[in-house]
Amino acid sequence: MVSFNPQALAAAVHIRLVGLGKHYRVGQQSVQALHDINLDIRRGEVFGIIGRSGAGKSSLLRSLNRLEQPSSGQVLIEGEDIVGFDRARLAGLRQRTGMIFQHFNLMASQTVGNNVGLPLRLAGIGRAEREHRVDELLQLVGLQDKRDAYPAQLSGGQKQRVGIARALVLQPDLLLCDEATSALDPQSSQAILALLRDINRRLGLTIVLITHEMEVIRDLCDRVVVLEQGRVVEQGDVWQVFGDPQHDVTRALLGTLQPAGHDVPSAQASAAILLDLHYTGASGHEPELSAIAALFGCRTHLVQGGIERIQGRALGRLRVRVETAGGGVDVLLQQARQIADRVERVGV
Ligand SMILES: Nc1ncnc2c1ncn2[C@@H]1O[C@H](COP(=O)(O)OP(=O)(O)OP(=O)(O)O)[C@@H](O)[C@H]1O
């Protein structure tokens, strides 16, 4: 009997990039957009790509369905290198790969139903089957009553739902999202994220997305890669990368997510020190005030802090002022390390 192991399936590699490189020719000049990218994207995960403008995010995403032709290396999907695919195999690949865009790319002169049904029509699927699939997909994205409407009659969030329905109509196993929520107001953006999360769980399809909105990565992705000048500078589980970013670029990108910074207040006189207790999620330490109070007693004052939960782990930083009460600072630091993942002395 064939046994089904969901864990093994979840960890299976869906996409493997091996030494992927991409350069563009601009007149006499060559722009190297991607250098030697090596990474794995697992089946069924939501994988985010972040980086500053020009870092190579679009080039990477568009290499996955050959909207860009890689200059070197391999793009293995299900173990098959798509770089050398001919037209026929490329058409098959594109059917198995949906894509959604920042500006939706809908046909203004066609109804919602026709927009969603277009890939089916191009694939030569008959009218009855088309109608059935379009209905199913409009139901999935909550637009069953908009089948005969035109894109101009829809809100931004509704247009993106149409884009999602169209991307899924051929039942792909991979969905590529290019800044899918960037053009939307915060409320519509949240609704689209919830829909993508639901689709990922219900259909088990792999989602690869690029975004400049760190909240999207935090709220939706399992793992993330950070690109800088066409190279991978950091990658890992979101809780890990966001909880303890290792690279300056990552820290800069995450700047918008951190609690608003304040001037470091002085700990006043030599009777107290300021400590930052960092919670990175690595060891499961919980940022509990009771634990801090138990350790330092009434000699502790919370100065500022911000903790959030990502993938169930507590991440963030608490800044505390601890009165030394004549005791050694080294002892205080050692004690603090029992309750936090990292301890930093930031003021005297
Ligand atoms: N068609 C093209 N022709 C020439 N150069 C290009 C082309 N597309 C991208 N580039 C260059 O390749 C580099 C990477 O671009 P890419 O669009 O992949 O980055 P990105 O991280 O997606 O940027 P952004 O966030 O601004 O969209 C940049 O230097 C860009 O100018």
Side-chain angles (χ1 to χ4, degrees):
M1 197 174 81
V2 179
S3 67
F4 174 71
N5 180 346
Q7 252 175 351
L9 194 66
V13 172
H14 189 167
I15 301 166
R16 171 163 289 167
L17 305 182
V18 185
L20 176 66
K22 171 71 187 170
H23 67 257
Y24 298 97
R25 215 151 246 304
V26 185
Q28 297 298 310
Q29 305 232 312
S30 173
V31 179
Q32 190 76 34
L34 298 174
H35 303 258
D36 192 27
I37 304 284
N38 296 288
L39 56 88
D40 285 350
I41 298 172
R42 299 174 192 149
R43 172 165 296 290
E45 76 174 339
V46 186
F47 189 88
I49 303 169
I50 58 174
R52 295 194 283 213
S53 182
K57 303 181 294 294
S58 299
S59 302
L60 176 48
L61 189 79
R62 293 160 67 90
S63 297
L64 304 183
N65 62 352
R66 284 265 313 270
L67 281 182
E68 293 295 353
Q69 173 68 24
S71 310
S72 53
Q74 295 179 311
V75 178
L76 300 166
I77 298 191
E78 312 277 10
E80 275 192 310
D81 188 3
I82 65 161
V83 172
F85 271 14
D86 60 15
R87 260 168 175 272
R89 300 192 76 194
L90 209 49
L93 170 76
R94 300 239 171 97
Q95 288 195 359
R96 286 181 281 124
T97 311
M99 188 159 186
I100 55 175
F101 305 88
Q102 179 174 5
H103 296 296
F104 325 121
N105 293 11
L106 303 180
M107 292 181 302
S109 63
Q110 297 293 320
T111 62
V112 164
N114 285 347
N115 267 285
V116 175
L118 181 71
L120 296 168
R121 189 188 283 257
L122 294 177
I125 301 206
R127 190 189 171 98
E129 170 70 11
R130 271 202 326 258
E131 305 243 308
H132 174 68
R133 283 294 293 155
V134 168
D135 280 345
E136 254 180 13
L137 264 300
L138 288 178
Q139 181 104 27
L140 180 77
V141 301
L143 286 183
Q144 50 276 40
D145 56 337
K146 297 287 182 196
R147 189 189 172 112
D148 298 322
Y150 285 86
Q153 299 169 295
L154 304 180
S155 69
Q158 289 172 330
K159 284 181 197 158
Q160 193 56 291
R161 284 171 189 272
V162 178
I164 293 172
R166 182 186 54 189
L168 297 180
V169 79
L170 288 174
Q171 299 174 300
D173 51 11
L174 172 62
L175 179 65
L176 308 179
C177 307
D178 187 350
E179 296 282 6
T181 57
S182 303
L184 303 178
D185 62 79
Q187 220 174 353
S188 310
S189 176
Q190 278 305 317
I192 292 295
L193 290 182
L195 176 63
L196 289 173
R197 202 176 302 121
D198 183 52
I199 286 167
N200 166 252
R201 292 200 184 131
R202 270 212 274 166
L203 309 182
L205 91 176
T206 308
I207 298 181
V208 184
L209 62 89
I210 59 182
T211 184
H212 67 266
E213 299 171 297
M214 296 304 116
E215 294 78 6
V216 171
I217 302 286
R218 182 190 62 194
D219 297 344
L220 188 62
C221 292
D222 298 302
R223 292 191 308 133
V224 63
V225 65
V226 187
L227 296 183
E228 170 69 355
Q229 295 185 341
R231 297 179 197 277
V232 171
V233 294
E234 195 162 348
Q235 62 174 310
D237 289 334
V238 171
W239 66 265
Q240 210 160 25
V241 172
F242 277 35
D244 197 12
Q246 299 296 308
H247 198 277
D248 285 347
V249 168
T250 318
R251 280 192 276 269
L253 290 168
L254 292 178
T256 51
L257 264 187
Q258 308 291 347
H262 299 285
D263 290 341
V264 175
S266 156
Q268 292 163 9
S270 56
I273 59 169
L274 273 178
L275 299 179
D276 272 356
L277 308 178
H278 293 269
Y279 297 87
T280 65
S283 59
H285 283 307
E286 283 293 322
E288 283 168 8
L289 294 177
S290 56
I292 299 169
L295 200 60
F296 300 122
C298 56
R299 296 182 288 128
T300 330
H301 305 270
L302 179 64
V303 177
Q304 57 174 238
I307 299 289
E308 59 188 349
R309 291 205 164 258
I310 303 180
Q311 296 176 310
R313 296 180 190 245
L315 307 174
R317 182 198 63 160
L318 296 181
R319 176 163 295 172
V320 293
R321 183 163 67 86
V322 184
E323 289 171 26
T324 53
V329 170
D330 288 343
V331 175
L332 277 181
L333 287 170
Q334 228 169 23
Q335 287 177 317
R337 285 188 194 107
Q338 296 166 19
I339 55 163
D341 292 313
R342 203 174 70 241
V343 177
E344 209 178 340
R345 185 176 172 186
V346 288
V348 288

